[in-house]
């Protein structure tokens, strides 16, 4: 833009000086326009690069989402297996407790059976040999 002081200088110039000044102004304008065009091209290139990076980031997030979904299925399967294992451990513990109780009962039963057999043997011995032991005829 031309200010008032530039206009006064222009009035004091002859035709050729004014033509030179006008050409200089056009040249400055062309240089500024060219520089602005270069700046805009660089800005556009930067925006295109940002757009490519955003598209790449979007692709990465989509791939990550697929991986998370796949991993979630595995995690669910592992969780289900852990729950099943916990149930099996509880059942195993219950079976061991029942087995221990049955073993105790069986041991008591063996003791009673041995005692009964001993009593029967003693009675049989007394019946057979009681006369000889107690001095009977």
């Amino acid at each position: 833009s031309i200010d008032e002081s530039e206009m006064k200088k222009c009035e004091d110039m002859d035709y050729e000086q004014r033509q030179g000044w006008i050409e200089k102004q056009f040249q400055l304008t062309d240089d500024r326009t060219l520089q602005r065009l270069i700046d805009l091209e660089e800005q556009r290139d930067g925006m295109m690069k940002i757009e490519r990076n955003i598209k790449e980031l979007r692709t990465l997030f989509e791939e990550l989402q697929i991986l998370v979904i796949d991993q979630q299925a595995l995690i669910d399967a592992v969780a289900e297996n852990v729950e099943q294992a916990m149930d099996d451990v509880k059942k195993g513990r219950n079976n061991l407790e029942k087995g221990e109780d049955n073993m105790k009962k069986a041991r008591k039963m063996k003791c009673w059976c041995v005692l009964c057999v001993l009593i029967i043997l003693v009675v049989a011995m007394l019946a057979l040999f009681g006369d000889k032991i107690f001095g009977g005829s």
Side-chain angles (χ1 to χ4, degrees), residues 65-92:
Q65 182 181 8
I66 290 169
L67 289 174
V68 166
I69 290 170
D70 289 346
Q71 293 298 316
Q72 187 61 45
L74 292 174
I75 290 170
D76 291 343
V78 168
E80 186 177 323
N81 288 341
V82 166
E83 287 179 22
Q84 183 64 41
M86 288 174 51
D87 289 342
D88 291 346
V89 166
K90 285 179 185 177
K91 288 177 185 176

Side-chain angles (χ1 to χ4, degrees), residues 47-79:
M47 301 271 280
M48 296 295 283
K49 185 177 180 182
I50 290 171
E51 182 182 2
R52 283 190 305 271
N53 288 340
I54 289 173
K55 285 180 181 178
E56 185 178 325
L57 187 60
R58 178 179 174 218
T59 302
L60 289 174
F61 272 112
E62 288 171 352
E63 291 172 1
L64 181 63
Q65 182 181 8
I66 290 169
L67 289 174
V68 166
I69 290 170
D70 289 346
Q71 293 298 316
Q72 187 61 45
L74 292 174
I75 290 170
D76 291 343
V78 168

Side-chain angles (χ1 to χ4, degrees), residues 1-14 17-19 21-22 25:
S1 68
I2 302 172
D3 61 4
E4 236 178 272
S5 64
E6 290 285 326
M7 291 297 286
K8 284 191 179 191
K9 284 182 192 176
C10 197
E11 289 174 3
D12 294 337
M13 297 180 194
D14 64 13
Q17 288 175 329
R18 268 186 269 177
Q19 284 300 107
W21 181 83
I22 290 171
Q25 291 301 315

